[in-house]
Amino acid sequence: MIDTDLKRWIRAELFHQVPVSISVIDRDYRIVEANENLEDTFGAWQGRYCYEVYKNRTEPCDTCQAARTFEDGQVRVTRESGVDRDGEPISYMMHLAPLVEKDGGIRYVIEMSTDISEVAFLQDRLREETERYRLLFEEVPCFITIQDRDFKLLETNRLFREHFGEPQGRYCYEVYKHRDEQCYPCPVAGTFEDGQVRRSEEVVTTKQGAKINVVCYTAPVRDSAGNITAVMEMSTDITQIRQLQSQLTSIGLLVSSLSHGVKGLLMGLDGGIYAVDSGLELGDTARVRSGWDMVKRNVGKIRSLVLDILYYAKDREPDWAIMNACELVAELRELMEARAARNGVAFTCECPGDIGALEADPKAIRSVLVNILENALDACRVDKQKTGHAVALRVFAEDRHLVFEVSDNGIGMDRETREKLFTLFFSSKGTGGTGLGLFLSNKIVLKHGGAISVESEPGSGARFTVRIPRTKTLAPSTLTPELDVEEIAGLL
């Protein structure tokens, strides 16, 4: 067994050799004993108070942990900041314990302090860096999400939340595209699979229903072992760029179409001029008259073509006129019946004789309805699940509007297709369409102060509803309509 003197020696040595600062204080907070490490760290202690030695204060601390230990006898651990013997700031972890006497009283408290300045410095740096990266994550001008393997949104930044709402417990395809299932192909799934950064271009829908073109990058988020635990998706709004590119593309396509059309008109003019010249030489009045009619006809076509180009190329007001709705319906019936019959589709029209007139641009409204009717016929043509198909055009009054309703029992559309339907260059026909028609139709209706809506489900057909105010209405400003290349080419 260890004798008493050896025990005292061991305790004395331990008191001075342990790599912590130890002090014993009385109820007045005066240090009555301390080890060498405390003196090396905080300076002379003899006859001084703990708050003088540790913190260079002239009075007790506002919140004194030693006082609490004197009061309740509990062991405490607290993080403190003080000043070392050289006047430099120091952080330390302090353990306080009561020295209980035989009668249960507490005359002294022992304080053991471990210098954690370096650890505190690193923690502060880590906190600062974390805040800096959090600020960057929150304020970067793009949409950022962190997704798990189930495509559930774990974190999102401020811009994302402002545009798409709070995403707690929701999936990316729900929030971005209002889908009920995963997108294919999915760039996030690809990054989870091979860890590669991917780029894609998408059309997403905000919580207000607005369509946004985004370029999307996905990158893996790895743990310390290199395993992919999540994927970060960063999407930048490029809607304005795509609008500008689409305008330039439309202009290019228009120029290509015009080059052929103008060539034909010039050949017609040449033919008319030749007929006039030869008729004059031969004294053939009938030949001159025929040639001159040909010239006038082609000049009229050129004039009409130029006016149409101006209509589509500029954000101009509609050419307002009073038009009869039933006369328009009769014209549409004559135009569409033959095509419907060729595709085995029953086509019906309904317009009450007393429906009255409306103030609108007749040519523009006709173009809108032709486009919607053609889409309805196409939806029936490609539907192989039913034996009989029908398209119906109905006109009725609703408040101060005339409503043109086109319904079909064709192939139908899912929610994502419905939301993209009026987006530039999006076509529900795949490669069979240009994606210009419905986009331009929507612009025309908006210019009239009206609105287009669509109801549809896959396999259940569709119903397009076009509401046009009966009288001229000032519409809110819209983006410049794109050039409708197909329609202009048709005029040639």
Side-chain angles (χ1 to χ4, degrees):
M1 295 181 61
I2 302 176
D3 61 34
T4 303
D5 291 338
L6 181 57
K7 287 181 179 180
R8 290 196 186 98
W9 181 84
I10 291 174
R11 290 171 182 167
E13 286 299 309
L14 286 174
F15 184 76
H16 289 287
Q17 297 302 322
V18 291
V20 296
S21 300
I22 301 176
S23 62
V24 179
I25 65 172
D26 62 17
R27 284 186 171 273
D28 294 327
Y29 314 122
R30 191 184 299 274
I31 299 176
V32 298
E33 186 62 71
N35 70 348
E36 295 175 0
N37 189 281
L38 182 135
E39 188 163 349
D40 291 341
T41 304
F42 293 97
W45 57 270
Q46 292 81 359
R48 302 176 67 195
Y49 297 99
C50 63
Y51 50 82
E52 291 182 299
V53 175
Y54 283 110
K55 300 200 174 187
N56 199 24
R57 291 173 62 96
T58 59
E59 56 186 16
C61 304
D62 297 330
T63 303
C64 179
Q65 299 301 323
R68 296 180 62 191
T69 297
F70 273 118
E71 181 179 345
D72 59 20
Q74 297 297 313
V75 174
R76 285 180 167 78
V77 179
T78 178
R79 178 174 171 171
E80 302 287 341
S81 298
V83 180
D84 68 12
R85 64 183 301 163
D86 298 320
E88 297 295 330
I90 183 173
S91 295
Y92 52 92
M93 190 67 70
M94 176 173 282
H95 294 248
L96 301 97
L99 297 178
V100 182
E101 300 194 350
K102 292 180 180 180
D103 61 2
I106 302 174
R107 293 180 59 190
Y108 303 103
V109 166
I110 186 170
E111 296 178 326
M112 294 163 283
S113 304
T114 304
D115 185 354
I116 60 167
S117 297
E118 186 174 352
V119 174
F121 172 76
L122 294 175
Q123 288 177 334
D124 290 341
R125 285 291 303 274
L126 177 61
R127 189 179 304 108
E128 291 173 3
E129 292 297 323
T130 301
E131 286 300 317
R132 185 176 293 113
Y133 282 113
R134 169 56 61 180
L135 181 63
L136 176 63
F137 180 82
E138 285 291 327
E139 300 303 326
V140 67
C142 65
F143 311 119
I144 302 181
T145 66
I146 307 294
Q147 303 177 24
D148 65 14
R149 288 186 177 273
D150 295 325
F151 314 112
K152 188 171 288 187
L153 302 179
L154 304 178
E155 286 193 64
T156 59
N157 70 337
R158 181 182 59 81
L159 193 64
F160 178 94
R161 294 190 296 274
E162 288 177 357
H163 283 76
F164 300 97
E166 293 295 336
Q168 288 89 347
R170 302 179 66 191
Y171 299 94
C172 66
Y173 49 81
E174 283 184 289
V175 179
Y176 267 137
K177 298 195 174 183
H178 298 181
R179 291 173 59 99
D180 298 324
E181 57 186 11
Q182 176 188 344
C183 307
Y184 293 98
C186 175
V188 174
T191 297
F192 267 119
E193 183 177 344
D194 58 20
Q196 298 298 309
V197 173
R198 278 177 164 73
R199 178 190 182 280
S200 64
E201 189 169 322
E202 309 287 344
V203 177
V204 297
T205 306
T206 68
K207 62 183 180 182
Q208 292 86 10
K211 304 298 183 298
I212 298 179
N213 294 79
V214 296
V215 59
C216 171
Y217 288 88
T218 58
V221 178
R222 301 179 185 271
D223 60 18
S224 57
N227 300 314
I228 299 175
T229 59
V231 166
M232 176 182 288
E233 186 177 63
M234 295 156 284
S235 302
T236 303
D237 186 351
I238 57 168
T239 304
Q240 291 184 336
I241 296 174
R242 285 293 171 263
Q243 288 172 344
L244 177 59
Q245 288 177 335
S246 67
Q247 290 174 355
L248 295 175
T249 300
S250 295
I251 291 172
L253 293 172
L254 176 64
V255 170
S256 177
S257 297
L258 287 179
S259 65
H260 297 287
V262 171
K263 180 180 179 181
L265 293 174
L266 292 176
M267 291 176 64
L269 283 174
D270 286 341
I273 292 171
Y274 175 78
V276 171
D277 287 343
S278 60
L280 290 173
E281 289 179 3
L282 298 174
D284 187 343
T285 305
R287 190 179 184 89
V288 172
R289 186 178 296 109
S290 174
W292 183 243
D293 287 342
M294 189 182 301
V295 170
K296 290 193 295 181
R297 185 166 59 252
N298 281 281
V299 169
K301 288 182 178 180
I302 292 173
R303 179 179 181 277
S304 177
L305 174 62
V306 171
L307 291 176
D308 285 323
I309 291 173
L310 292 175
Y311 178 88
Y312 291 108
K314 294 183 179 180
D315 189 18
R316 72 174 184 81
E317 291 300 311
D319 187 7
W320 299 99
I322 302 299
M323 58 181 290
N324 185 289
C326 286
E327 289 180 2
L328 173 61
V329 170
E331 182 182 350
L332 293 171
R333 177 190 289 114
E334 182 180 353
L335 180 67
M336 305 303 295
E337 270 184 336
R339 178 177 173 184
R342 286 197 302 270
N343 288 281
V345 178
F347 180 60
T348 59
C349 296
E350 179 184 337
C351 182
D354 59 352
I355 195 69
L358 75 157
E359 189 176 9
D361 185 330
K363 185 174 181 179
I365 298 301
R366 177 184 180 277
S367 174
V368 169
L369 294 173
V370 166
N371 198 292
I372 294 174
L373 287 167
E374 288 180 342
N375 275 275
L377 290 175
D378 286 335
C380 292
R381 178 178 56 81
V382 300
D383 182 18
K384 308 302 181 183
Q385 304 299 316
K386 305 180 187 71
T387 55
H389 291 93
V391 172
L393 169 61
R394 187 167 72 100
V395 185
F396 57 92
E398 186 178 88
D399 298 327
R400 298 181 180 180
H401 294 72
L402 277 188
V403 181
F404 297 85
E405 182 184 272
V406 177
S407 58
D408 67 75
N409 64 342
I411 196 170
M413 293 171 279
D414 59 20
R415 180 175 179 177
E416 183 180 5
T417 301
R418 294 196 306 271
E419 291 181 342
K420 292 182 178 179
L421 204 57
F422 302 108
T423 303
L424 182 64
F425 289 142
F426 174 79
S427 175
S428 60
K429 306 173 189 176
T431 57
T434 64
L436 290 170
L438 288 176
F439 169 80
L440 184 60
S441 296
N442 189 45
K443 292 293 184 183
I444 291 173
V445 173
L446 290 175
K447 270 295 181 184
H448 283 74
I452 301 180
S453 61
V454 59
E455 303 169 49
S456 182
E457 293 294 336
S460 300
R463 178 186 291 111
F464 282 81
T465 304
V466 180
R467 289 179 172 82
I468 304 293
R470 279 187 178 273
T471 57
K472 179 179 177 180
T473 302
L474 293 177
S477 62
T478 59
L479 293 172
T480 301
E482 310 304 322
L483 302 173
D484 190 338
V485 179
E486 284 188 323
E487 184 157 342
I488 293 177
L491 293 170
L492 304 178

